[in-house]
Structure formats: C-alpha cells, structure tokens
Amino acid sequence: MQAKADVIRVCSIDLFNTNASIVRDLAKAAAESCPDANMLIISNPVNSTVPITAEVFKSRGVYNPKKLFGVTTLDVVRASRFISQLKNTDPANENITVVGGHSGATIVPLLSQSGYELQGAERDEYIKRVQFGGDEVVQAKGGAGSATLSMAMAGARFAESLLKAAQGQKNVVEPTFVDSPLYKDQGVPYFASQVTLGANGVEEIHPVGKVTEFEQGLLEVCLKDLKANIEKGEKWAKENP
C-alpha cells in the first residue's frame, strides 16, 4: 500500500509540474487577448491551477472572479453513478451534491442532502470511490491514460450550462470551484459548491448547507488539504511569472 501511495504522490507532483506552466501560459494569452472571457479550468490539479490562473489575471489587472471556474462536474457524475449502483436507480435521475475541491480528500459528497444514508464499510468504500475514482481509470488503463472521455463529458456539460445562462436561461445551477466567500476566513479563498450561473458568469454562490457530523469531519479534512493546494498554486504563480 505504501508503494502504491508513493507512486500516486509522484504522479501528482509530475502532473502539477507539467500542467502549471501550460495553464500559466494559456492564462497569459487569455489575459492579453480576451480578458473578459469565461475561463473554464479543467487541467488538474484544479485546486492549484485555478489559483494560478487567477494570479496571472491579477498581475495584469484584469481579474474577474465571476468569470473563472474550476470544472468539478465529474465529481458529481461519479458520485451520482456510484450511488445509483448501490441503490439500483437510474444514474440520470441522481444528482448528488459534491463540495470542496477536485482531488482526493478535498472531494466531499453530501449524501444526506439527497436523502441517502450509508454506514460503515459501505459508506467508506463509496466515499473512497468518489474521491479516488480517477485512480481506477488509470489502473484499468495500465498507467497509459486517464479519464479523458469522462472529463470531456464533464467539461461539455458545464460549458453547455454556462452558455444557457449566458443566453438568459434562469436557475442554471452547477457545482464549480470558484473564488468563494464561504471559507475565506479560514484561509481558503477558493471552494467548490453549488453556483447559480448568469449572463455575467457567477451569479450566486450557494452555502454548503446542513451536513451530518460525518460529513462535517470530511469537510474539515478537505479544508486543510485545499488550503495547501491553493497556496501551492499561488506561490508557484508568483515565483514563475
């Protein structure tokens, strides 16, 4: 188990080192050419690449927090699919609320808000699958690829919702990782929760809402990890302008 954890940790470091500069350079080009555009960041680690993008825009005086989104739709898709397998329901009719971030323990599914309750080993296995579902795909591909198709579907779904909102459709709500006031007092300036989208991007950031004691414990772990992820992205962006 330790060897597996070390491999995953090394892969995460490599992913950050590879994607950080790519996202920074794309953000630079966008800040210069289309600073008013909605920016949808799906390159992992999203918890760090969204702050990198924000720092680039801030350094050029064009940062608009209402138009920067980390795409976390895939977490909802997985959470909904995995609960449908357990409950023998149609995944198309499930919509599990997921908050926090977009990697590992920062992904917090709130089953209680959808009327579900799991206990013991079944609950722990469900949480693990939601948080580390991407690892299953990597392992199934023998390390030769990741969840590219499901990421594409998640990106398309979010982009479609944003376009509907831009065209005037009301009550378009999607989970997304944004500049959020919810936990800024705890040093976590970005957070994923339900967000109402509008013509100008973020229209309303919804609070987490009522959670169980177990879910609160997950949130506390999430915030600790998320704070470190965000700080890593911000620090890298300032050191690599």
Side-chain angles (χ1 to χ4, degrees):
M1 289 296 293
Q2 183 59 44
K4 178 182 175 183
D6 288 342
V7 169
I8 292 172
R9 191 176 300 114
V10 169
C11 289
S12 296
I13 293 170
D14 289 345
L15 184 66
F16 178 89
N17 291 336
T18 298
N19 286 349
S21 58
I22 294 173
V23 169
R24 175 203 59 196
D25 292 347
L26 289 171
K28 284 182 180 179
E32 181 177 338
S33 302
C34 51
D36 251 353
N38 288 307
M39 297 294 294
L40 279 59
I41 310 301
I42 199 168
S43 298
N44 282 319
V46 167
N47 296 352
S48 299
T49 53
V50 166
I52 287 172
T53 304
E55 291 303 312
V56 170
F57 274 62
K58 288 175 183 178
S59 70
R60 285 154 176 75
V62 293
Y63 177 56
N64 182 350
K66 293 183 179 295
K67 293 197 171 186
L68 176 59
F69 305 90
V71 180
T72 61
T73 314
L74 181 52
D75 300 325
V76 173
V77 172
R78 285 179 176 147
S80 300
R81 173 56 178 160
F82 297 156
I83 198 65
S84 76
Q85 290 178 319
L86 292 174
K87 300 298 182 180
N88 294 315
T89 59
D90 184 343
N93 296 328
E94 301 290 356
N95 189 26
I96 304 300
T97 299
V98 182
V99 300
H102 188 53
S103 67
T106 68
I107 300 170
V108 181
L110 302 178
L111 281 175
S112 65
Q113 295 189 5
S114 298
Y116 289 119
E117 181 179 1
L118 301 178
Q119 296 293 336
E122 184 179 50
R123 178 190 65 192
D124 295 343
E125 180 61 25
Y126 171 79
I127 297 295
K128 180 182 177 181
R129 288 199 76 195
V130 174
Q131 293 181 335
F132 298 97
D135 293 348
E136 291 186 34
V137 179
V138 172
Q139 291 165 14
K141 292 184 175 182
S146 60
T148 48
L149 291 178
S150 50
M151 282 191 291
M153 184 277 291
R157 170 175 148 174
F158 187 82
E160 184 177 17
S161 292
L162 196 57
L163 287 169
K164 288 178 180 177
Q167 292 167 358
Q169 184 170 321
K170 300 299 183 182
N171 301 316
V172 179
V173 179
E174 286 283 355
T176 178
F177 186 68
V178 295
D179 187 322
S180 171
L182 298 183
Y183 294 98
K184 277 191 177 179
D185 62 345
Q186 297 185 42
V188 181
Y190 303 91
F191 192 81
S193 66
Q194 297 284 70
V195 173
T196 298
L197 305 174
N200 297 309
V202 173
E203 188 170 278
E204 179 184 0
I205 295 172
H206 298 264
V208 169
K210 186 178 179 180
V211 299
T212 65
E213 183 178 349
F214 175 77
E215 290 166 345
Q216 181 59 39
L218 293 177
L219 271 172
E220 290 170 5
V221 173
C222 158
L223 291 171
K224 180 181 177 182
D225 287 359
L226 195 51
K227 185 175 186 291
N229 295 161
I230 293 168
E231 289 175 349
K232 181 178 181 177
E234 291 176 334
K235 182 173 184 289
W236 186 91
K238 291 171 182 176
E239 292 177 350
N240 300 273

